[in-house]
Amino acid sequence: MHAAIIMDGNGRWALARGLPRLAGHRAGAEALRRTVEAAPGAGIGVLTLFAFSSDNWRRPPEEVAGLMQLLAEHLRSETTRCLENGVRIEVIGRRDRLGGELPAAIATAESATAAGEKLQLRIAVDYSGRDAIAEAVRQAAHAGLVCRECLEEQLGPPVDLLIRTGGEQRLSDFLLWECAYAELIFSRRMWPDFDASDLEAAVRQFHARQRRFGALPPLPAVVPTGAQAWLD
Ligand code: FPP
């Protein structure tokens, strides 16, 4: 299963505790570590996490710098654990605007864990779904054939389950093509509070959904009426 997570709510988690936003991101990095540990046991083979969106450059420079440093530190500190646990790290998104120690930390983490087969961990950094689609089209055009399969090959595996924490219900330019038939699960939990039991609950909800991919359901659908019609 390919699960993807929009890890939202770090800032509000910190604010609620009178802490600086970066403390929320640090706590978020711990939640990320817990989630990676729990993913294979929950039946997840590919996990894509939204760590920094191309639109996040609009945040104050201190927060951006802190996030970049945290990412580099996290990659360095987690590489050995990932290697021991069969986790292959891959960073998706633009690399040309990343500064400081991050590009080297990414290269080291990716090459050290390249043989991992238990979990493919994709971390999206300076990532935009629209840019990724545009780039895939550009590459396919350059190769002389723009087709659905060519783009799919460029973009990566389809997402089965998309989780967003923090209470918002939107995609925020994350994996737009890959989420074509993703099951969407929105949680009010702030990302730093997310743990293995939340991941397992989301996976259980996913398995309870009927995925039809445009075909007909095996049984006649029950049509909700009135107040029943609105989802929470
Ligand atoms: C959204 O919360 C979160 C981010 C923009 C960054 C995600 C980063 C982490 C989970 C930690 C660091 C990542 C790694 C890979 C070590 P927000 O700041 O938008 O929260 P808010 O909506 O409450 O303000």
Side-chain angles (χ1 to χ4, degrees), residues 7-12 21 25 32 51 56 59 71 74 191:
M7 308 179 288
D8 198 10
N10 295 349
R12 279 165 287 163
R21 291 181 58 84
H25 294 313
L32 187 152
N56 288 151
R59 293 193 175 196
L71 265 161
H74 189 83
W191 174 250

Side-chain angles (χ1 to χ4, degrees), residues 59-225:
R59 293 193 175 196
E62 318 81 65
E63 181 169 348
V64 171
L67 269 169
M68 293 295 159
Q69 198 188 332
L70 183 60
L71 265 161
E73 277 169 19
H74 189 83
L75 285 168
R76 271 201 302 267
S77 67
E78 292 304 304
T79 294
T80 309
R81 199 199 304 264
C82 286
L83 188 59
E84 286 167 359
N85 290 291
V87 177
R88 179 163 102 239
I89 299 174
E90 188 191 329
V91 173
I92 60 169
R94 282 179 67 163
R95 302 267 173 112
D96 57 306
R97 298 191 287 197
L98 305 180
E101 300 160 17
L102 190 52
I106 292 172
T108 307
E110 286 184 332
S111 62
T113 62
E117 287 186 343
K118 203 157 158 201
L119 176 70
Q120 186 184 346
L121 173 63
R122 304 162 81 226
I123 302 176
V125 181
D126 195 359
Y127 174 88
S128 147
R130 287 167 298 177
D131 286 352
I133 293 168
E135 180 57 25
V137 172
R138 220 174 284 129
Q139 299 223 6
H142 186 70
L145 180 62
V146 180
C147 65
R148 185 164 155 169
E149 292 74 23
C150 318
L151 299 188
E152 264 157 18
E153 207 170 300
Q154 284 285 330
L155 288 165
V159 173
D160 298 300
L161 163 63
L162 178 98
I163 301 168
R164 180 174 188 142
T165 60
E168 310 287 359
Q169 301 188 15
R170 54 176 168 258
L171 287 180
S172 300
D173 205 10
F174 190 42
L175 302 172
L176 297 179
W177 176 289
E178 296 91 322
C179 281
Y181 270 105
E183 295 298 328
L184 309 180
I185 291 183
F186 299 104
S187 164
R188 287 194 183 87
R189 183 94 70 216
M190 298 295 139
W191 174 250
D193 291 327
F194 194 84
D195 63 18
S197 66
D198 295 313
L199 184 71
E200 284 153 13
V203 169
R204 269 198 305 279
Q205 248 194 79
F206 166 80
H207 285 301
R209 302 256 180 107
Q210 191 188 64
R211 302 189 82 196
R212 296 198 292 273
F213 299 97
L216 294 180
L219 293 168
V222 176
V223 181
T225 55

Side-chain angles (χ1 to χ4, degrees), residues 18-79:
L19 297 169
R21 291 181 58 84
L22 209 52
H25 294 313
R26 255 185 238 112
E30 279 304 300
L32 187 152
R33 193 182 46 71
R34 290 195 295 271
T35 305
V36 170
E37 240 169 56
I44 295 167
V46 184
L47 179 65
T48 307
L49 302 170
F50 209 0
F52 190 86
S53 128
S54 295
D55 291 322
N56 288 151
W57 292 113
R58 295 180 182 161
R59 293 193 175 196
E62 318 81 65
E63 181 169 348
V64 171
L67 269 169
M68 293 295 159
Q69 198 188 332
L70 183 60
L71 265 161
E73 277 169 19
H74 189 83
L75 285 168
R76 271 201 302 267
S77 67
E78 292 304 304
T79 294

